[in-house]
Amino acid sequence: MPTTTIDDVAMALSGTLLTLGVVVLGIVELVDGAPYGASPVTNEAGEIVATPGVDPAIRTALVLAGLVVLLLWGGYRVVVGPEPSGATTDATAAPGTQ
């Protein structure tokens, strides 16, 4: 099934959001150094001695936004349905039949 503009935009947007939230900000966390956890590190007195480089809420929001885009796109594809099997486009038409 050929993709439409909506399909291309949804795939690009969701892929970008998921990649940014997981891979890019994960690399930023690694470059920033320890701690790698999502919560601040405290000492025995309860004072915060180290915090993550990127707020975990930002990473979570980016990943969830990417998943929401995929969910909405999937709902759109269910409503629209597949193209009829006998349909042809200019790109798939036999030569000389255009």
Side-chain angles (χ1 to χ4, degrees):
M1 170 189 318
T3 59
T4 64
T5 303
I6 293 175
D7 296 336
D8 293 337
V9 169
M11 287 187 288
L13 181 61
S14 65
T16 301
L17 289 170
L18 288 169
T19 303
L20 183 64
V22 175
V23 177
V24 174
L25 291 181
I27 291 172
V28 168
E29 283 290 329
L30 286 173
V31 170
D32 187 41
Y36 300 119
S39 62
V41 175
T42 58
N43 60 13
E44 293 178 9
E47 299 171 335
I48 296 175
V49 293
T51 58
V54 178
D55 186 13
I58 293 172
R59 293 183 71 182
T60 304
L62 288 172
V63 172
L64 287 177
L67 293 175
V68 166
V69 169
L70 282 176
L71 178 69
L72 292 174
W73 175 50
Y76 163 77
R77 293 305 303 167
V78 166
V79 170
V80 171
E83 287 186 16
S85 60
T88 60
T89 62
D90 291 338
T92 60
T97 60
Q98 295 177 359

